[in-house]
């Protein structure tokens, strides 16, 4: 029996159940097994026991981990990052302290466009090494699967470079990676005041090439005031759909211009941010089953309102939460802090919080069939926490409570 692992003496094993997006009351439904044990073989969960019982093959385990009565959950799933980027943007702090907003900085040639300049200058190796270190940090915090977007190249050459970095990370790092093409993140400087022409370029040349090379599973667009309007976003997403991509959309982050409504209309798997979403947008998403990928650390960092998570749950929208890690609006990759904010600012229960960082984001990045829950037959991604229960994880903030992280049945 090869590559076998027994995790015993689990105080509480807590997990959502099922390979589907959990919405409404199901958002808060978790199984909680006391005095539990997990038996893993070749990276797959083979048996789960509770009430002090050990799995049938427990004595055959090559490796045994004593959880010491601690909480065990599925490995966290990070559903929204801008992981690969050149430079940093701490130089924007003086502008922000004087009251400059996100779009003010972008319109002045900073923000995303500043990161684009640094990303274009960076070599593949520089971006790869920097991103690899970020993944090490994420995994130490309990993240075992991570989505990463392009969008800081904004031309064929550099968008491809970013996506090739993500592909190499997936091949070489223990973290499972999922790539999203986001060439429509901003209008590049060379296309200033010609957003329609840039969208046409993406549709005609870049999206087909990304799909041809198999470098991304999803396509995303920043539908926002002063970036891409609803018409431009619709054209881009329809083209992406024709190319075979799953659809995502940055919507209603700053202004409600119709992005969330478009998400439902076009059948997007997820809509991101949604700080300014209204009832019509939520109704559209609920009807379509679109996941709300909420990013509370961005609200925190920008000093903005928090998305109406409770209302979304009431309306039956699956809610996921993610870091939005990027060099401008959220320079933090700490998904544990996102969990704290989910409880404190979104008023989500600990059970709803766990669902929002496991199975719901897993489904929103096409991985719900293999990760996001602890069930027999699923990939053995798990975290042993320095906490007795989920309440403690939501309550404590500022400390890393991940004691041990297991990825595909291996302690990392």
């Amino acid at each position: 029996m090869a590559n076998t692992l027994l995790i015993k003496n689990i105080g509480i094993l807590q997990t959502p159940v099922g390979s589907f997006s959990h919405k409404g009351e199901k958002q808060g439904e978790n199984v909680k097994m006391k005095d539990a044990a997990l038996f893993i073989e070749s990276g797959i969960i083979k048996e789960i026991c509770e009430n002090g019982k050990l799995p049938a093959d427990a004595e055959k385990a090559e490796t045994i981990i004593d959880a010491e009565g601690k909480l065990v959950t599925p490995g966290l799933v990070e559903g929204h990052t801008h992981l690969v980027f050149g430079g940093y943007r701490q130089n924007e702090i003086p502008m922000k302290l004087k009251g400059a907003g996100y779009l003010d900085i972008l319109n002045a040639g900073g923000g995303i466009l500043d990161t684009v300049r640094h990303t274009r200058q960076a070599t593949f190796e520089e971006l790869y090494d920097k991103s690899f270190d970020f993944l090490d940090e994420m995994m130490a915090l309990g993240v075992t699967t991570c989505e990463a977007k392009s969008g800081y190249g904004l031309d064929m050459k550099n968008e491809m470079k970013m996506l090739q970095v993500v592909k190499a990370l997936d091949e070489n790092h223990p973290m499972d990676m999922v790539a999203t093409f986001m060439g429509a993140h901003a209008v590049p400087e060379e296309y200033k005041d010609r957003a329609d022409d840039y969208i046409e370029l993406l549709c005609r040349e870049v999206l087909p090439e990304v799909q041809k090379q198999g470098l991304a599973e999803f396509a995303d667009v920043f539908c926002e005031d002063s970036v891409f309007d609803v018409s431009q976003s619709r054209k881009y997403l329809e083209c992406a759909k024709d190319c075979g991509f799953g659809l995502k959309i940055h919507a209603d982050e700053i202004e409600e211009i119709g992005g969330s409504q478009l998400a439902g209309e076009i059948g997007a798997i997820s809509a991101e941010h949604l700080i300014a979403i209204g009832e019509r947008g939520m109704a559209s998403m609920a009807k379509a089953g679109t996941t709300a990928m909420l990013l509370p650390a961005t609200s925190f960092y920008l000093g903005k309102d928090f998305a109406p998570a409770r209302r979304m749950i009431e309306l039956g929208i699956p809610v996921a939460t993610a870091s939005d890690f990027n060099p401008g609006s959220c320079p933090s990759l700490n998904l544990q802090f996102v969990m704290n904010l989910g409880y404190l600012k979104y008023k989500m229960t600990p059970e709803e919080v766990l669902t929002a960082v496991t199975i719901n984001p897993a489904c929103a990045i096409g991985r719900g069939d293999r990760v996001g829950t602890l069930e027999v037959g699923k990939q053995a991604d798990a975290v042993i926490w320095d906490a007795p229960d989920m309440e403690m994880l939501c309550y404590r903030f500022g400390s890393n409570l991940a004691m041990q992280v297991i990825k595909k049945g291996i302690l990392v």
Side-chain angles (χ1 to χ4, degrees):
M1 189 174 291
N3 300 320
T4 52
L5 170 67
L6 171 68
I7 306 175
K8 65 177 185 177
N9 196 21
I10 299 170
I12 297 176
L13 186 153
Q14 183 165 337
T15 180
V17 174
S19 301
F20 57 89
S21 298
H22 290 46
K23 61 185 180 181
E25 291 184 359
K26 287 191 177 297
Q27 175 97 31
E29 291 181 1
N30 294 170
V31 167
K32 301 176 186 179
M33 301 182 185
K34 295 183 179 180
D35 196 6
L38 273 173
F39 186 78
I40 298 160
E41 181 181 353
S42 299
I44 302 296
I45 298 171
K46 292 297 182 180
E47 189 176 356
I48 304 174
C49 297
E50 59 182 322
N51 298 324
K53 181 181 177 182
L54 289 175
D57 290 326
E59 293 184 359
K60 300 177 182 178
E62 296 175 334
T63 305
I64 299 174
I65 296 176
D66 186 343
E68 300 176 355
K70 304 293 187 179
L71 171 71
V72 172
T73 72
L76 306 185
V77 178
E78 170 59 87
H80 180 129
T81 77
H82 301 266
L83 180 79
V84 182
F85 59 85
Y88 287 97
R89 302 219 300 264
Q90 72 273 25
N91 59 298
E92 294 176 358
I93 289 177
M95 297 176 66
K96 292 179 178 179
L97 290 175
K98 292 179 181 179
Y102 182 87
L103 293 180
D104 298 322
I105 295 171
L106 177 62
N107 291 331
I112 291 172
L113 296 179
D114 182 65
T115 300
V116 169
R117 289 188 284 271
H118 285 93
T119 303
R120 288 179 175 182
Q121 293 167 5
T123 65
F124 172 94
E125 290 75 18
E126 289 169 338
L127 294 174
Y128 175 86
D129 289 345
K130 183 178 183 179
S131 302
F132 196 98
D133 289 345
F134 288 150
L135 292 182
D136 281 348
E137 186 178 349
M138 281 186 179
M139 190 158 268
L141 290 164
V143 176
T144 51
T145 302
C146 178
E147 184 264 9
K149 305 177 191 295
S150 67
Y152 292 130
L154 304 188
D155 62 19
M156 177 80 82
K157 174 185 175 182
N158 289 289
E159 286 293 304
M160 292 295 186
K161 178 175 67 178
M162 292 184 68
L163 292 171
Q164 286 162 353
V165 167
V166 177
K167 180 180 179 182
L169 292 169
D170 186 49
E171 292 170 348
N172 299 319
H173 196 280
M175 187 82 71
D176 282 335
M177 301 295 298
V178 177
T180 297
F181 172 65
M182 198 176 178
H185 197 191
V187 180
E189 291 176 298
E190 58 268 29
Y191 277 84
K192 187 175 181 179
D193 299 323
R194 294 192 296 132
D196 286 337
D197 291 342
Y198 181 59
I199 290 292
E200 178 61 30
L201 171 73
L202 293 175
C203 289
R204 185 180 66 250
E205 299 181 18
V206 188
L207 277 165
E209 186 61 25
V210 172
Q211 182 63 22
K212 180 182 176 181
Q213 294 192 29
L215 291 175
E217 297 178 41
F218 298 93
D220 200 342
V221 59
F222 193 5
C223 182
E224 186 58 73
D225 181 44
S226 300
V227 191
F228 298 106
D229 62 26
V230 171
S231 177
Q232 292 160 342
S233 299
R234 183 185 296 274
K235 178 177 179 178
Y236 171 85
L237 291 174
E238 287 178 345
C239 180
K241 188 174 184 178
D242 289 342
C243 288
F245 291 99
L247 306 182
K248 296 178 175 290
I249 180 170
H250 282 49
D252 300 350
E253 177 182 2
I254 301 166
E255 301 288 343
E256 185 188 6
I257 67 168
S260 54
Q261 290 176 250
L262 175 61
E265 291 168 6
I266 205 164
I269 193 169
S270 66
E272 332 284 302
H273 286 289
L274 306 173
I275 293 171
I277 193 171
E279 289 293 322
R280 287 183 298 178
M282 286 188 280
S284 179
M285 289 178 59
K287 182 178 179 180
T290 300
T291 293
M293 188 70 69
L294 306 185
L295 312 171
T298 302
S299 293
F300 172 84
Y301 188 72
L302 295 178
K304 299 294 185 182
D305 292 337
F306 288 81
R310 281 255 58 91
R311 179 61 176 154
M312 293 177 181
I313 293 172
E314 290 171 4
L315 291 173
I317 298 171
V319 171
T321 55
S323 71
D324 189 28
F325 176 54
N326 72 82
S329 58
C330 188
S332 171
L333 49 69
N334 192 332
L335 201 54
Q336 291 182 40
F337 181 53
V338 170
M339 295 165 70
N340 300 138
L341 292 173
Y343 152 62
L344 291 168
K345 297 298 184 179
Y346 290 157
K347 308 302 181 185
M348 296 169 70
T349 67
E351 293 81 7
E352 291 169 339
V353 167
L354 182 61
T355 297
V357 292
T358 54
I359 189 58
N360 279 4
C363 289
I365 59 173
R367 296 294 183 273
D369 61 334
R370 67 188 81 166
V371 300
T373 67
L374 294 176
E375 298 180 83
V376 172
K378 280 203 167 180
Q379 190 166 292
D381 293 358
V383 184
I384 302 172
W385 299 95
D386 187 14
D389 48 39
M390 271 300 301
E391 285 75 10
M392 182 64 79
L393 280 192
C394 292
Y395 162 73
R396 283 283 308 279
F397 71 95
S399 300
N400 181 10
L401 298 183
M403 285 179 58
Q404 294 178 295
V405 179
I406 292 90
K407 179 65 183 175
K408 296 180 181 177
I410 298 173
L411 184 63
V412 293

